[in-house]
Amino acid sequence: MANQLLSIAPRHVSLPENYVRPEPQRPRLHEVIAGTSIPTIDLNSPDIIDEVADACTSHGCFLVVNHGVESVPEMLEVSSEFFDLPAEEKAKHYSDDPMKKMRLSTSSNVRTETVRNWRDYLRLHCYPLEEFVPSWPSNPPSFKRVVSTYCREVRQVGMQILRVISLSLELEEEYLVKILGELEQHMAINYYPRCPQPELTYGLPPHTDPNAFTILLQDPSVPGLQVLKDGHWIAVDPQPNALVINIGDQLQALSNGRYKSAWHRAVVNSDKERISVASFVCPCKSVVINPPEKLITNGSPAVYKSYTYDEYYTKFWSRNLDDEHCLELFKRE
Ligand code: OGA
Ligand code: NI
């Protein structure tokens, strides 16, 4: 029911019971490490291959600057306009069916989860654009135009990153582009309202992304993304004009565990709502995920079974976001 959307409900003065995490699962915000930076990589850097190799091994996460995505300000603007629309307008798009290709929903998967997350999100499929844009919201009036432009620009960055990651694994430049097939591209426009008790809940609990990698645009004025590094949560404070790259489960599997799918979470705050735009770069569903021979050696035997991305994705959505790491279920005996 659409009235479950946080962006429709009246402002809460205390956190509803079904959002409260049991004590051991709470975010412990005072323990978060602030001010340590995660790697920032200039896409025009002459040393980009080494820089990406280091970042993918150490953090599974990095910021990119000089990415050429010019529609960033408009994309943030139209996202916030969308969540400001009247309730009836948003209700038209509501669904809790995770298989729907366009839906406005809340939390993560309200059909399976026991504790909710303090987030609404609009999920879109974005490739090929001609196929999906007609089903996107036509309000705000500029939505289709702005989001399509953003999707095209982000896809360019995604392809560039895949080529650099291939080279950084000492593979042929086109290796990952070829092996991942006609890449799917999905988007989640996340809306995290102000939360009366941010210590008790999450926008998104700790998780890794199930796809190849994610390109995340953060609200430049409101922090909320945190990444796990050596057992500590570190704040990835937004930097103007930077996009966050999060390595996902499929690049961890394809690199035979050399690159780490980053554990990350989104926390909320009581001062200001926050918007983020996650672009998920995904293998084609039929692709068999199997690392190249070159990355399987006596010293590093194959870690995961081979599987299709379709199998993985189905398994991922049948679970809860904060269950055991989905990739663990695909390990060799
Ligand atoms: C996601 C995600 C983080 C954020 O959408 O998968 O991790 O800061 N988002 O919104
Ligand atoms: Ni994520």
Side-chain angles (χ1 to χ4, degrees), residues 179-191:
I179 207 87
L180 294 173
E182 190 82 348
L183 294 169
E184 288 196 14
Q185 185 180 349
H186 306 175
M187 175 183 279
I189 306 182
N190 299 310
Y191 173 79

Side-chain angles (χ1 to χ4, degrees), residues 27 29 32-34 61 63 118-119 190-193 198 201-207 216-228 233-239 244 246 263-277:
L29 297 172
V32 172
I33 300 175
C61 173
L63 300 177
W118 198 255
R119 153 180 102 136
N190 299 310
Y191 173 79
Y192 305 98
T201 194
Y202 288 105
L204 278 172
H207 67 282
L216 185 83
L217 167 60
Q218 293 202 75
D219 188 320
S221 60
V222 193
L225 175 67
Q226 303 179 342
V227 171
L228 192 65
W233 287 101
I234 55 179
V236 184
D237 289 336
Q239 269 187 40
V244 182
N246 268 327
W263 282 90
H264 56 284
R265 63 185 195 178
V267 300
V268 289
N269 74 82
S270 54
D271 300 330
K272 220 169 165 231
E273 61 188 34
R274 171 172 179 263
I275 297 257
S276 73
V277 180

Side-chain angles (χ1 to χ4, degrees), residues 256 293-302:
N256 199 27
E293 287 297 318
K294 203 172 165 183
L295 299 182
I296 300 173
T297 59
N298 286 341
S300 8

Side-chain angles (χ1 to χ4, degrees), residues 22 24 26 32 52 64 86 88 116 125 151 163 180 185 203 211 220 235 279 285 301 303 311 315 324:
R26 292 182 189 166
V32 172
V52 164
V64 290
E88 326 71 87
R116 289 211 176 172
H125 279 223
C151 286
R163 294 192 167 99
L180 294 173
Q185 185 180 349
N211 48 309
S279 297
K285 284 284 167 61
V303 184
E311 287 172 67
K315 177 71 89 189
E324 183 197 12

Side-chain angles (χ1 to χ4, degrees), residues 115-262:
V115 185
R116 289 211 176 172
N117 305 313
W118 198 255
R119 153 180 102 136
D120 288 345
Y121 63 103
L122 178 67
R123 196 80 159 62
L124 305 171
H125 279 223
C126 314
Y127 188 85
L129 281 166
E130 318 79 79
E131 186 178 334
F132 297 112
V133 175
S135 66
W136 289 0
S138 16
N139 201 358
S142 63
F143 187 90
K144 289 180 174 172
R145 177 183 58 80
V146 171
V147 182
S148 311
T149 304
Y150 180 79
C151 286
R152 272 192 212 98
E153 291 188 321
V154 152
R155 194 173 179 88
Q156 292 297 317
V157 174
M159 300 306 269
Q160 194 180 345
I161 302 248
L162 272 180
R163 294 192 167 99
V164 176
I165 291 183
S166 297
L167 292 170
S168 77
L169 288 165
E170 292 164 68
L171 303 167
E172 189 209 321
E173 186 167 16
E174 296 300 315
Y175 183 86
L176 287 171
V177 173
K178 279 191 200 145
I179 207 87
L180 294 173
E182 190 82 348
L183 294 169
E184 288 196 14
Q185 185 180 349
H186 306 175
M187 175 183 279
I189 306 182
N190 299 310
Y191 173 79
Y192 305 98
R194 285 197 260 181
C195 176
Q197 290 173 292
E199 285 283 358
L200 305 184
T201 194
Y202 288 105
L204 278 172
H207 67 282
T208 64
D209 291 345
N211 48 309
F213 63 95
T214 300
I215 305 178
L216 185 83
L217 167 60
Q218 293 202 75
D219 188 320
S221 60
V222 193
L225 175 67
Q226 303 179 342
V227 171
L228 192 65
K229 163 87 172 118
D230 303 329
H232 299 284
W233 287 101
I234 55 179
V236 184
D237 289 336
Q239 269 187 40
N241 303 318
L243 295 169
V244 182
I245 308 294
N246 268 327
I247 299 298
D249 295 345
Q250 304 319 315
L251 286 183
Q252 177 164 334
L254 280 167
S255 68
N256 199 27
R258 205 191 282 193
Y259 286 175
K260 297 288 172 284
S261 166

Side-chain angles (χ1 to χ4, degrees), residues 15-30:
L15 192 67
E17 201 61 43
N18 56 338
Y19 288 84
V20 178
R21 293 268 156 183
E23 163 68 34
Q25 288 177 17
R26 292 182 189 166
R28 303 164 79 88
L29 297 172
H30 54 282

